[in-house]
Amino acid sequence: MANVKTPVVTYTGINQQIEHPDLDATLLECSINNQIPHMHECGGNGLCTTCRIRVLDGLHNLSPRTLKEQEVASIRKWDPSIRLACQCYPKGDVSIQRLVWTSAEVNKLQLETVPEGSAEERAIAILFCDIRGFTKMASENSSFDIAHILNRFYTVLGDPILINNGVIYQYAGDEIIGLFGVSGGLRNKNCQDAVRAALGMQYAIERLNRIELVDFNVTIKLGIGINFGKAYIGHLGHPKHKQFAVVGDPVNTASRIQSFNKTAQTNILISESIYKGLPEGTLETGQTFSPQMDGHEHQTKLYELKGFKEMDIQLELQRSLDYILRNEEAFASKFYNRVFEKAPEARALFKNNMASQGRLLTHMLGGIVYSMSRPEHLTLGLKMLGESHARYGVNKTHYPVVLSSLLETIEEELGDYSSGQLLKAWEQALTIITTEMKKYA
Ligand code: HEM
Ligand code: FES
């Protein structure tokens, strides 16, 4: 019998060639087993499409699409070269390019479910955020500085939208607009995501004022308005230049709610439809207002949003992440020292140097926060992570060691900023995650 050649998978971009002897392993497993970063939010179950790749060469050497993949590909009108790495098995040499890299890109995938031709009505939460104090700052600084600062604003204000499953719809001067629930989902979840994003933006700007903007002699304030309702979503515009657009009364109302912050002298206002979208008693609110919005005959009830009544784990995790990771390498070295002190044999499991171990930890903590906001994929994703850890040689006793070492290092790094509430949030999240991963050890 002729020798069968072992398939080789070539990863373009990093230009790495990997032998793939196990014909029962998917392309995604090939990446993971070789520690090549490859998004797989649903844990290889053909649901999230984040593991998608473009096949540059050797398409005929991949197994045909599974039923799950066929369904996904037909909704998105993929050409044959786009494949789900978790659904295909290399039988010969292939050359591939991974297509999704960041959480921002993951969120954008939601737009693929929006029809190409016409607009479709969908119930979404709409968040308008206005950066106040920006005009004064712009008049006092060079345009170069302003472009730099504006980019910084867009980043720190965009992150809470993205981490809470939102899509950044537009930046317009000193305004940023986020949409939640573009690809469907429950009203409760979409409203909660928008509320979390608004509070996350508020914390982010407070941090920016305290740390980065001290030399600019300004205090930036936000005006945020959130509304929920049915809007038209689609690709609109000139036939040769269509753009994703969202239109309708709820969008205009969200913008007016945002503006009403000035009159009301508030920071965050939410409409009654957002307020009622969450279970009663969830939100801490301040004053209420009943203005008559332009174009409406009725009054619109608005609530000043202060926060969640009870600790919200996800918000606590999100707001502490930047503080924890202020100094990636220092955090990593403190953490690993603790782990190796408690479990000296664990040192042998880690192959990389400390700098890349630091990045791994950042990736790990970011991943924890990110995955907690996507409960629909959490268990599936952790199954795969648990399995990969079993292959690294991680056993059941390592998990409590990592959990306590992380908590102790987080407490140390947070310093004055640390609170019982924050540590409780991390403990709860880490317990959920390690309990799930441990099942596969
Ligand atoms: C809190 C739970 C944990 C999370 C979220 C987590 C997350 C991760 C992630 C995302 C990777 C990158 C590779 C991959 O995706 O498979 C990784 C690698 C790794 N993790 Fe974990 N991990 C956790 C707990 C642990 C524990 C308890 C150990 C054992 C002490 C451990 C040891 C390792 C090792 C050895 C690697 C490979 C890195 C290398 O070879 O240098 N992890 N982890
Ligand atoms: S679709 Fe492949 S990992 Fe989710």
Side-chain angles (χ1 to χ4, degrees), residues 32 35 40 339 346 349-352 357 360 363-364 368 382 384-385 388-389 392 394-395 398-399 402 406 430 433-434 437:
I32 291 171
Q35 295 181 22
H40 55 281
V339 172
L349 305 176
F350 293 90
K351 310 272 178 288
N352 293 311
Q357 224 55 73
L360 172 66
H363 172 72
M364 183 172 130
I368 290 173
L382 292 177
M384 203 156 202
L385 200 58
S388 69
H389 279 66
Y392 301 146
V394 176
N395 67 40
H398 291 135
Y399 283 99
V402 160
L406 268 176
L430 287 168
I433 284 169
T434 49
M437 286 173 73

Side-chain angles (χ1 to χ4, degrees), residues 6-11 14 16-40 44 51 53 62 84-96 98 384 388 391-392:
T6 305
V8 172
V9 179
T10 302
Y11 289 81
I14 50 172
Q16 204 164 331
Q17 296 198 315
I18 304 286
E19 288 208 343
H20 183 79
D22 180 1
L23 299 186
D24 292 327
T26 63
L27 252 179
L28 178 64
E29 286 166 323
C30 174
S31 309
I32 291 171
N33 295 344
N34 291 285
Q35 295 181 22
I36 293 177
H38 201 144
M39 283 263 187
H40 55 281
C51 66
I53 49 161
L62 288 179
L84 286 182
C86 70
Q87 302 293 308
C88 61
Y89 300 82
K91 308 292 174 204
D93 294 356
V94 280
S95 173
I96 63 163
R98 290 154 296 161
M384 203 156 202
S388 69
R391 281 194 301 271
Y392 301 146

Side-chain angles (χ1 to χ4, degrees), residues 41-61:
E41 202 177 288
C42 74
N45 282 278
L47 301 171
C48 68
T49 84
T50 57
C51 66
R52 65 179 66 182
I53 49 161
R54 183 185 301 282
V55 183
L56 303 172
D57 205 3
L59 188 56
H60 58 282
N61 285 329

Side-chain angles (χ1 to χ4, degrees), residues 34-242:
N34 291 285
Q35 295 181 22
I36 293 177
H38 201 144
M39 283 263 187
H40 55 281
E41 202 177 288
C42 74
N45 282 278
L47 301 171
C48 68
T49 84
T50 57
C51 66
R52 65 179 66 182
I53 49 161
R54 183 185 301 282
V55 183
L56 303 172
D57 205 3
L59 188 56
H60 58 282
N61 285 329
L62 288 179
S63 59
R65 291 197 199 280
T66 59
L67 282 178
K68 267 187 197 162
E69 192 183 345
Q70 279 175 29
E71 200 180 314
V72 163
S74 89
I75 295 174
R76 289 168 174 76
K77 304 195 177 67
W78 281 348
D79 72 57
S81 70
I82 308 287
R83 298 293 310 264
L84 286 182
C86 70
Q87 302 293 308
C88 61
Y89 300 82
K91 308 292 174 204
D93 294 356
V94 280
S95 173
I96 63 163
Q97 179 189 13
R98 290 154 296 161
L99 294 178
V100 181
W101 293 90
T102 63
S103 55
E105 286 169 340
V106 173
N107 287 32
K108 260 206 201 138
L109 305 182
Q110 294 182 35
L111 302 186
E112 293 177 349
T113 65
V114 176
E116 281 274 302
S118 59
E120 198 174 274
E121 206 181 37
R122 292 191 187 174
I124 53 170
I126 308 127
L127 179 155
F128 274 72
C129 170
D130 183 50
I131 308 168
R132 307 257 172 78
F134 183 73
T135 323
K136 175 174 181 288
M137 201 165 169
S139 66
E140 291 169 3
N141 289 282
S142 76
S143 48
F144 176 80
D145 283 346
I146 289 304
H148 171 77
I149 295 163
L150 204 47
N151 270 334
R152 194 68 197 114
F153 281 143
Y154 290 151
T155 311
V156 300
L157 298 175
D159 281 345
I161 296 179
L162 297 175
I163 206 156
N164 289 298
N165 307 304
V167 176
I168 297 173
Y169 170 49
Q170 240 175 40
Y171 310 103
D174 43 16
E175 194 164 71
I176 174 164
I177 306 167
L179 307 174
F180 301 82
V182 166
S183 59
L186 297 174
R187 172 176 179 184
N188 169 282
K189 168 97 170 72
N190 297 336
C191 290
Q192 198 175 39
D193 278 341
V195 162
R196 267 195 202 115
L199 294 168
M201 290 163 120
Q202 185 67 39
Y203 294 135
I205 218 72
E206 283 165 11
R207 196 181 60 236
L208 212 67
N209 278 330
R210 231 183 4 252
I211 300 169
E212 289 180 50
L213 294 177
V214 278
D215 295 336
F216 284 92
N217 195 27
V218 282
T219 304
I220 296 294
K221 285 198 165 159
L222 298 180
I224 299 177
I226 326 177
N227 189 24
F228 179 85
K230 285 187 177 164
Y232 285 91
I233 296 182
H235 297 93
L236 308 176
H238 187 280
K240 291 198 174 133
H241 186 77
K242 289 207 171 169

Side-chain angles (χ1 to χ4, degrees), residues 414-428:
L414 283 176
D416 293 347
Y417 186 67
S418 170
S419 72
Q421 172 141 314
L422 250 177
L423 293 171
K424 206 166 109 198
W426 275 99
E427 185 173 3
Q428 285 188 19

